[in-house]
Amino acid sequence: MTIILRKEAKNYPKNNISYTYTTGMSDKPLYNNEITFESVLEKLGIGSNCTILISKMRYFLNTVEQLYEFSERLPLETADLPEQSLLTKIRKERIDAYSYIDVTGFLYDYYRDKKAALEKLFQEPINQFKLNKLATKDPSEIYNARQEKGKYCTVLEVSLLLM
């Protein structure tokens, strides 16, 4: 049996691409490089005393494209704390896309750069407190505890399981 595949050329109409973005947060459109992290914080009314939320936002929103995506997705959130729930969704999406799929890759990266490997595994910012909680643990135990707890668990949940 022989299967013959033909390559067909398809012409799709070109759409005009607009570089004007509206975020739903205000009526003023945002242009290419006009959006900044500080302007997003100001538009959302997030004060400097919200340090945990700001640190999570800084970890997840470090490019202009990620700021635009966050700004466009935020009005669609219906939870009491839409910024927090959207950041949780972004974290889960990144775990699905970028986290380790086997222990060997994690172990290799862990011995090269512990903090970077843990950030990739859990997709959350790792500070010194979290690092100290896992400092004496065998990296394969950390990975196995994360697998047991579920792939969306946090560093602190794993450290409590290993105590």
Side-chain angles (χ1 to χ4, degrees):
M1 175 163 127
T2 304
I3 299 174
I4 299 173
L5 300 175
R6 286 186 291 157
K7 191 174 190 178
E8 294 181 14
K10 294 184 180 180
N11 293 325
Y12 295 105
K14 292 183 179 180
N15 296 331
N16 291 336
I17 298 173
S18 171
Y19 293 102
T20 303
Y21 297 92
T22 56
T23 62
M25 293 186 291
S26 70
D27 295 335
K28 183 182 176 207
L30 297 171
Y31 297 95
N32 264 344
N33 294 323
E34 189 174 326
I35 191 169
T36 62
F37 186 79
E38 290 74 20
S39 68
V40 171
L41 291 178
E42 183 181 322
K43 288 180 190 298
L44 294 174
I46 298 173
S48 61
N49 58 342
C50 302
T51 56
I52 295 173
L53 179 61
I54 291 173
S55 69
K56 284 185 179 182
M57 288 177 69
R58 282 199 189 281
Y59 180 77
F60 288 116
L61 310 174
N62 50 16
T63 66
V64 173
E65 291 82 15
Q66 291 168 344
L67 282 171
Y68 278 126
E69 179 187 358
F70 181 79
S71 300
E72 290 176 356
R73 288 176 66 181
L74 189 62
L76 304 175
E77 292 296 312
T78 58
D80 292 335
L81 299 169
E83 300 89 4
Q84 191 70 18
S85 64
L86 182 55
L87 289 173
T88 301
K89 286 181 183 178
I90 291 171
R91 177 180 174 266
K92 289 180 180 180
E93 290 168 359
R94 287 191 183 176
I95 286 173
D96 291 337
Y98 303 117
S99 191
Y100 296 100
I101 53 174
D102 64 352
V103 70
T104 56
F106 173 68
L107 292 175
Y108 178 77
D109 287 347
Y110 185 88
Y111 288 117
R112 292 180 67 214
D113 185 359
K114 184 186 318 183
K115 183 180 180 214
L118 290 170
E119 284 182 343
K120 183 177 177 181
L121 180 67
F122 293 102
Q123 288 297 317
E124 66 178 83
I126 304 294
N127 57 22
Q128 193 60 42
F129 173 77
K130 293 176 184 178
L131 205 56
N132 289 341
K133 288 293 183 187
L134 296 171
T136 60
K137 306 295 184 231
D138 179 31
S140 59
E141 286 181 12
I142 294 171
Y143 188 85
N144 292 335
R146 183 242 186 193
Q147 293 298 99
E148 180 183 327
K149 197 77 172 144
K151 69 178 178 178
Y152 300 125
C153 67
T154 64
V155 173
L156 296 178
E157 290 174 330
V158 168
S159 65
L160 288 173
L161 183 66
L162 293 174
M163 287 184 150

